[in-house]
Amino acid sequence: MKRFILLAAVLMLSLSVGAQDKMLSSKQLMTWSLYPQAKMRGLQFVGNTNQIAYVQDTVLYVGNPGKTKARLTLSALNKVLAGAGMESLRGFPRCTVLNDKELRFNANGKVMLYNMAKKTLSQVAKYPTENASNLDMEETHYKTAYTNGNNLYIADGDKVFPIESADQDIVFGQSVHRNEFGIEKGTFWSPKGNYLAFYRMDQSMVTDYPLVNTTARIAREQPFKYPMAGMKSHEVTVGIYDAAQGSVLYLDSRHDESVAERENYLTNISWDPEEEFLYIAKVNREQNRMWMERYYVADGEFDTVLFTETNSRYVEPCDPIRFVPQHNDQFLWFSLRDGYKHLYLYNTDGTLLRQVTKGNYEVQGIIGFDTKGENVFVYANKESAIGLAAYRVNLTTGEMTLLTPAKGTHSVVVNAAGTQLIDVYNSVENPGCAQVVDLKKGKVLTTLYQLENPLKDYAMPGIKMGTIKAADGVTDLYYRLITPPNMKAGEKYPTLVYVYGGPHSQLVTDTWLGGGNLYFLFLAQQGYVVFTVDNRGTDNRGFEFESCTHRQLGTIEMADQMEGVKFLQSLPYVDKNRMGVEGWSFGGFMTITMKLAHPEVFKVGCAGGPVIDWKWYEIMYGERYMDMPQENPEGYAGNSLLNKAKDLQGRLLVIHGAEDNTVVWQHSIEFIDACIKAGKQVDYFIYPHHEHNVRGYDRIHLYEKMFDYYETFLK
């Protein structure tokens, strides 16, 4: 018997060890099941109550935290839909639970209300399901704005109001300014649903850029509008649709009709609570001045400039003003004027009442307010530059209370009263957790879930987070170091530097896998060290940290990246003779920049969708960070990779999507030509029908392509 127990124990141990030695395959790199998956979806508070609701599998649960009950199943909902002559749903729809009886959801192009007590279904709005995009529904009267082609439509009951373009170069109701300045959409409903503000973009003056559709029998051109740095930009105005009158007017946003005025950026549109005024953060094309302007809704006339912001480098408003509940004469504004992104409280006459938050950290977003408008709930990285926590901030005193003390990155929902929150978070060590917290008592009411490590059966690489000094010798830079599992003492491993390095990025975060992905783990399992450092020029570390690269993109970034290389070369297990660098987009630009400047360090480089010369990049982004080519010829020339192709040594693989409308194909084609003229060999690969990113199943092909390259030339 003892012998049997011993044999069983040995067998169990061997099974355990074997289970933890599983290796990722390239086919699994797009397998989302290997990322932490929460069964609960749509976590929310119910109306103005402390009850919570969520969907688990195909069932809706509602109730007090820790005491929820099943209220509606998908099969029961489909039975009701069938009775109304509607198609069945494959999965439980995303829904808003309005109270303990009613929920709202979208199905088959209709907005429906379902009464769970009476088991009755009613339609409150409808919209087309074909050829409709950019849907935007207001929640007072359930009117819906949507676009079809370049045209904008407003559906109100059975009526549809069209705002149509007679010119194919005029676009209504879509995002403008190449999605810069925080712009993600082109329609903006007023608080009471009586008006719709929308963008009108005239692109007729912008040069057509050719893309080619090669799937046709005879390849045909498919041009699109691409405003390049230093060239003519599109012109934008803002319209207002009056639902009661069924009429449209346009704001008087061009005060002097100059060319400069026509090219201003109209950003961060917001309404006042009474729908009397529309607020716009207007930015000049030079992007060194912002005017907070107010317009009358009744006639579109310009009212006043509430305040201005200027900076010798650039200003970049990315958040609309937020009015304070119960204080309609006060609003909050985000600004980096003191060097970090903070909140400022203004009166509607333009008087600055006070700076609400202060310190060497960044407030990254507003979550909401309490009912009296005394406190605002925000996200900030005050505790850790690579984490994100939720805080309650008193608008009068500025007192800041941490609400999510657990280490990591948090996403929260606060109830209407501001007394409870649902906290969903993860960290390098924690795959994911969700809790309901009582803010008055400061205690967890219930833990909704704690996820297990989905990779627990795999040979897990080491993941280390830390800091090194930047090239200035003062600034801390955060890095992520992924090492092969079961490294052998005295053995040296090929090492890959994965880089992005551009504005509005932060790759090293206190999240699951440290902000990395399965591709990095796969490489580590195959015997590679994978390293990433966020250089100066990246996000969430203050204005000086990000903007010090102004007019010289690539210079300071590379200097900081090379400090990371020095750190790597100090590690006993890093093979100095087998180092590679990889990146995409701005990271592709950085990859080639580093490979050409330091051929003695990088044996191999792999650059995807790379910017080669900033004069070929778009106006909004390019001119913010580099100014116009006419204004900064030395900066453009000094950081152009065309001028450095002659320095290429070793192996470089350049990859590009042939239909890239972000970093156009011209970049890499001209770089290849420069290499040919310089007598330099370079490897090149095209993804014929992809835009800036290789998506879908083809991404596995991309991973395998890069891995094979490293196996051949680096390992």
Side-chain angles (χ1 to χ4, degrees), residues 400-471:
M400 200 166 184
T401 304
L402 175 64
L403 305 178
T404 53
K407 181 177 178 294
T409 298
H410 296 256
S411 175
V412 307
V413 179
V414 180
N415 69 347
T419 57
Q420 292 185 10
L421 64 78
I422 300 171
D423 179 19
V424 180
Y425 67 95
N426 66 100
S427 68
V428 177
E429 300 87 5
N430 190 337
C433 181
Q435 299 175 325
V436 181
V437 181
D438 186 316
L439 298 180
K440 287 187 175 181
K441 298 179 181 179
K443 70 174 186 178
V444 175
L445 295 177
T446 185
T447 296
L448 299 172
Y449 62 77
Q450 171 58 63
L451 300 181
E452 291 187 357
N453 179 1
L455 299 169
K456 58 181 171 45
D457 294 333
Y458 287 78
M460 195 64 183
I463 301 178
K464 179 183 177 182
M465 315 284 276
T467 62
I468 60 172
K469 291 299 180 184

Side-chain angles (χ1 to χ4, degrees), residues 78 90 155 174 215 218 299 343 398 406 436 467 578 580 657 708 715:
N78 276 334
R90 294 183 178 181
Q174 297 185 34
T215 61
I218 297 178
D299 56 13
L343 284 171
V436 181
T467 62
R578 291 187 294 166
D708 288 346
K715 200 168 187 179

Side-chain angles (χ1 to χ4, degrees), residues 40 46 86 217 278 384 397 421 516 568:
M40 294 180 181
V46 177
M86 297 177 66
R217 176 65 178 85
L278 196 69
S384 167
T397 65
L421 64 78
L568 286 173

Side-chain angles (χ1 to χ4, degrees), residues 500-517:
Y500 182 77
H504 292 295
S505 70
Q506 187 177 25
L507 300 187
V508 181
T509 56
D510 192 0
T511 54
W512 181 238
L513 303 183
N517 57 30

Side-chain angles (χ1 to χ4, degrees), residues 41-55 60-66 68 95-104 116 139 367 369 377 379 403 411-424 434-440 443-446 448:
R41 297 181 287 111
L43 282 164
Q44 59 188 280
F45 283 102
V46 177
N48 294 324
T49 73
N50 290 338
Q51 288 190 329
I52 64 170
Y54 57 87
V55 173
L60 173 69
Y61 292 83
V62 181
N64 292 318
T68 57
C95 63
T96 300
V97 183
L98 303 173
N99 50 56
D100 63 350
K101 296 179 181 178
E102 289 184 305
L103 64 95
R104 184 182 69 230
M116 292 181 284
E139 299 191 3
I367 301 164
F369 298 85
F377 298 92
Y379 292 114
L403 305 178
S411 175
V412 307
V413 179
V414 180
N415 69 347
T419 57
Q420 292 185 10
L421 64 78
I422 300 171
D423 179 19
V424 180
Q435 299 175 325
V436 181
V437 181
D438 186 316
L439 298 180
K440 287 187 175 181
K443 70 174 186 178
V444 175
L445 295 177
T446 185
L448 299 172

Side-chain angles (χ1 to χ4, degrees), residues 74-87:
L74 176 61
S75 60
L77 180 59
N78 276 334
K79 189 175 296 185
V80 174
L81 290 172
M86 297 177 66
E87 294 181 11

